Structure formats: structure tokens, C-alpha cells
Amino acid sequence: MMTVKTLNQIIDSVQVVANTAWREFENSSPASQYRAISEALSEIKTELNKGELYVLIGGEVKAGKSTLVNSIVGQNVCSVAQEVCTNVCTIIRYGETPKFIVHYKADDKGNTPDSLPITEDEVSMYSTESLNPKNEKNVAYIEVQVNSSMLANGMVLIDTPGLGAIDPQHAFETFSMAKKADVILFLGSTGKQLTSVEIASLNSLIEVSQCERVAHVLTCCDQGDKNAIASANEAELKRLVPSMKIPVIPVSSLLFQKYLNNKKPAYLDKSGFKALYAYLYTAGKEKEQILCSVRSVEVLLQCNILLNALTSLEQASQDTTKFQERQEKLRNAISRLENLRTNRSTWESLFAKEIRKLNNNLREFSFDQEKKSFEKLEGKLKEDVYLKDATALTNAVQAILSVSLTELEDFIKEGLEKAFTNVRDESGFSEISQEIYCDEIEKVQLPTLEIKGEGISTKLERIGRKSLYGFGIGSLVTYAGTSAFASSIGVTALMTKIGTLAGSIVPGLGNVIGGLGGALLGGLIGFFSGLFESKNHKRKRILKECTPKIREYYQKAALKADNCLTDSSTTLKLEFLNLINAQIKAWEAQISNLQDAIKAVHNHVEKLRRMKTTVTTAIIDLAKE
């Protein structure tokens, strides 16, 4: 199994080859295919080595979330005062020196204010209900960087507002951050058993985050009958969350704090934190395994592009005819691209067709999403907890719409990438570029991403989602043909812009979901008191109350999505023109440098062969995985 260390070594060795080729054969030209490969490898390595494991600490109000965070970190980074009610999430990650940063939400137009460095004393001004009521400062989250050995290996903690708070906006803030989570630690206390409402909140968190790593952390295990409570909670979790195996991990922050103070092993053993860290370590290794698999395919692709370029240069240096053919191919390709650049109407009409098709697909998708949301709600209403508790039902509706919002964003991103790829193919750009770079790349069979290991195979796409957008979500193999060349000259920048465009729908609709929670909770209160009626009648009344608010959300979603596609059409056309111009510039530079490159090859024949051997070895090692 490939490890991060091994993959880093492979990247380094191939990057040395790319940089040597850039220096020796292209005179360090700015418009260099080898430089582009080297930069692509640098980006891959940066993403690989981030390696952060996001651990969300969830639970009801006053469940001890902040206390657990402080214990894990070994410092008091979150307020635990009884009167403090936090209303935004806090992300705690490693930093050499302490830092506190406010990150703001984007406005309805997708514009995000700059982050604001603050002092520790100012944190409560932005994160508590008393000093920032209803989050009027529009804070997305507070980031805390702290020098803690517990976080040094990449673990990032997310401290969340309580899911059972009176203000349903607090639950939505938690759901918004849950999309980042790799692991959920759901807290309970030995003071009482988990209620069905708490487990309903956990189900909502799982639905939004798609986490497969979920543990129930039972706090205060130095008090009360921890074994009885743990057994009772385990039984309830099996009954109410039957699709997941959720371990119960009893811990005592008090005993762990004593261990931190005097380092006596007995306190560590009794604290339960050994078991907690073992659980998190296993989750971290799973994520490392998945990221290595994703990045290995990216590196393999760049290796094939590099080997193809070196082989082409070697052939041209050995055969005058090959050299002339190479120059002629480049000139012909430039001529065809210049023609494509001049006749913009051809590919602009293709973009118009693709956007119309995507718009139609989006309408159908939105209709299906709305229908699916009502079906999910009807499914929830078959469970007693949602008929008895307005807060649980409000949280469930917010969770359903949060999932829908993520799926809408993903649908638009995937659709825009596909539209760009289709235009690139239908316009002839891909065919032209293949003649220069991708004669062999297209024949390369990239390995299927199959991760062997209990409970993580279906998690690949979620963890790799960000990195996979440049390939088209979940379809790395499609990247091997025409997209392979495109990646090497900066189409990743386009994918970032596509993500920004699609992401612009989230702020406004997120605010709609948050606001809907308050309106819905207020409207539902009367349904949960006083009147005796059949469950079936109550379901119908509740559904009737929820329907107009959910439909209002989807109406606004349709409008935001339509605006996104309108903006995207202009961006895609501009990026395609940039792609043509960049390619022409790169090929002109190659023609200019080709004669010198061939002379350099003659002087460094053995070096070129060693470079090819290095890349070939890397390809073999990567293909084994």
C-alpha cells in the first residue's frame, strides 16, 4: 500500500526530471511543458501533505463539547463558562504561535470580506449569543491556531454550537461545518442516557456530513454508572441508527487533565483518552490511504505526460525526419488553433448549446430534489421523535435542505466541467492537442480507484471530492485522454473558477435555510402541544405547515442556480479563449526552442535515458498501487 512518504519520494524524483528537462532542453523558457508538469506536481504534493483530519465535536447544549476540545488540545482554547452560549463554530488547528482569526460568510452575491485577526479576549465578541446576537456580524467560523502536540500531525477540531439550542440557526451553523467533517464525535454524559431527540440530531449530522466514522463519546466517566449508561446508549444507537456501527468511548476530561499535569500513566489509563486517540489514529490512517490513492493517479498521469514528451524529443533528435515532422506538426497545430481563435462563433455557439442543455437538466434535477426532500420529510414523520419534538423536526428539515444544497452545488460544478470538456472536444481543440502531446497518453490505462478496507470504500469520493473536481467528480479515468494535456497548462484554474461560481449559490440559500429554521420552529410549536389527535392526522398537518417553506426554498434555489449558469457562460468562453492563447504561446516557444533542445539532447544522451528510466520506474511503482 502506497504511503505518503513513498509518494512524496516519487513526486520528488519525477519533479527533478521535469525541472532538469526544463533547464537543459528548454532554456528555462516560461512557456514550457516541463515547467507546467513540475508545477502540477508541486500542487499535488501540497495537497497530499496537508493531510488534515477534520474531527467535529457535536452534541446538545452543555454536553461538554468545549471541555473535551480543551482536554484534547491540552490548553483552554474554548470557553466553558455555564452562562456562555456560542452561536458559531470554532476550528482549532496546529500553529507555531497562538492566533485567533474571524472568517466571515459570503453575502448573497458570493462576496466574502477579508478574514480578521483578533485577540483571544475578543473571541467572545464574535462567537457568543450575548455579544453577537443572531450572528449579526455574519461570522462563518472562528479559527484558533495553537501549539499543541495533539494537533501537530494534522488533526483539526471543530467545536460546534449545541444542536438542541432554542435558536435553530445554531443547528444550521453546525450542519454547514459538518460538510468538512471526516469524523464525528457525538457527546453524551454519564449523567443521563441519550434521548431519542439527541439521536435524531446525530442522524441529521450523519446525513449532512456523509461521515462513516462516527463515535459516541461518553463524558464524565469518573462520575455515575458509566457502564450502565454506556450499555443503554449503545443499545439505543443500534436501534435508532441501524445502518452504522457506532462505538461508545467513555472518557473523563478531569482524569486526563490530571494526567497532563503530573504525567502519571494511571490517570491516562482511567481517562479513556487512549481509546479515543486510537480511534482517531485509525481514522487518520484511513484518510491518508484514500488521499494517497487519489494523488497517486494524479502523479501517474503527469508521469505519462512527461515520459511522452521526453520520448518525442528523443525520437526527433535521432531522426531528421522526425524532427521535421515535429516542427510541421507544431506549425500546423498553431495554424488550426489560430483559426479556432478567429472563428469564435463556432465554439461560442457550442457553449450556448451546452448551457441550455445544462439549464434543462438543472430544472429536472431541482424538481427531483424537491420531490426527494418531501419524501425524506414524510419518512421522518413516520418516526415518533419527529412527531413529538419541534426542534428535532426543524433540525431534520434543515439537514435535508443542507444535503440538497450540497448536491445542487455538485451538480452545477460537474455540469459546467462537462460542458467545458464537451466544447473542447467538439470544437476540435482536443484533437489538435492530442496530435502533439497525447498520442500515448490516450492509450494509458489509469488504475481504478478501489480502496480495500472495512467501511471506507464508499468514502473515497467524499474525501477526494475537492481534488477530484479538476477531473470531473468521481471520474478520474476520463481525465486520461483529452483532459490530460489541458491539466498541464492550467485548466485547474478554470475548475477553481467553476467552483467559485457554483459556490456562489450557497451563501444566499444557506441564509434561506437558516431563516427557514426559525420560521418553521415558530410555526410548529402549536402542533406539539395540547391537541389529542391521531398520528396520521398530525403528520398531515405538519407536512402542510412545512410544504410552503420548503417550496419557497426551492424557488429561490432555482433562481440562484439560473443566475449561476448565466455568469458561468461568460466565464467558460473567456477561459476557453485563454486556453487557446496559452497553447499557441507554448507551441510557438517549442518551435523556437526545438533546435536548441535537440542539440542539448545530443550532448546529454545518457542523461536523457536516465531521466526516462526514472520516470518509467515511477510509473511502474504507481501502477502497482
Side-chain angles (χ1 to χ4, degrees), residues 504-536:
S504 69
I505 69 173
V506 173
L509 293 181
N511 294 336
V512 170
I513 295 173
L516 180 147
L520 189 60
L521 182 61
L524 288 174
I525 292 296
F527 288 85
F528 292 86
S529 60
L531 184 64
F532 177 80
E533 58 184 332
S534 69
K535 289 182 179 179
N536 192 47

Side-chain angles (χ1 to χ4, degrees), residues 420-431:
F420 191 84
T421 300
N422 288 346
V423 171
R424 209 172 56 217
D425 292 346
E426 292 178 33
S427 67
F429 182 95
S430 296
E431 181 184 353

